[in-house]
Amino acid sequence: MRKEQRIKTTEEFSQVFKKGHSVANRQFVLYALPKEGQASLRLGLSVSKKVGNAVIRNQVKRYIREVFRLKEEILLGGNDYIVIARKPAATMDFFEVEKSLLHVLKKAHVLKKVK
């Protein structure tokens, strides 16, 4: 993920929280907000101290970013996404994170239709 594809400011986060819709499973909460005139997707991450120490939190964030980077072509562009990690995410490996995030993305209906 390039830095231009990240949501960083409090105003941007609060706008997605207020106007977007949310979907969750045991490990992640996903907020999605369609944006007019935005070509690519943007991603914001929230991993609280309850998840683990700094090493664990950074690892979870790297896994989430990598899943979004790899699945970018099947995600709807022009959306803002915020992923909130819950405690069980700390014990997951990359493939479990990928499976769980794809489950949440399918529930949110933000994957492109495959023909």
Side-chain angles (χ1 to χ4, degrees):
M1 296 238 95
R2 295 185 315 273
K3 290 201 177 190
E4 307 87 51
Q5 291 181 290
R6 297 202 187 145
I7 299 172
K8 291 187 177 185
T9 66
T10 306
E11 293 81 23
E12 292 172 332
F13 268 88
S14 60
Q15 183 180 19
V16 176
F17 287 138
K18 286 178 187 171
K19 296 181 182 176
H21 67 279
S22 68
V23 179
N25 64 7
R26 296 185 69 128
Q27 296 86 15
F28 300 104
V29 179
L30 173 76
Y31 284 84
L33 176 66
K35 299 282 277 202
E36 294 293 326
Q38 183 174 298
S40 64
L41 65 91
R42 294 192 317 157
L43 177 65
L45 300 174
S46 175
V47 183
S48 111
K49 287 186 177 181
K50 292 178 184 176
V51 173
N53 62 20
V55 174
I56 299 295
R57 293 194 310 269
N58 286 329
Q59 182 182 42
V60 169
K61 289 190 275 189
R62 280 195 308 272
Y63 287 167
I64 295 169
R65 271 193 227 99
E66 184 65 9
V67 169
F68 271 81
R69 187 186 70 79
L70 292 173
K71 304 299 179 185
E72 188 171 8
E73 68 276 354
I74 65 168
L75 287 167
L76 293 176
N79 283 356
D80 282 353
Y81 300 100
I82 293 179
V83 178
I84 302 171
R86 292 179 169 171
K87 266 188 182 182
T91 60
M92 299 169 71
D93 66 6
F94 174 75
F95 298 106
E96 292 170 328
V97 169
E98 181 179 33
K99 183 178 175 185
S100 181
L101 278 175
L102 284 175
H103 174 255
V104 172
L105 291 165
K106 283 178 190 167
K107 280 177 67 174
H109 305 291
V110 294
L111 298 177
K112 291 180 182 173
K113 303 282 189 264
V114 179
K115 295 178 183 175

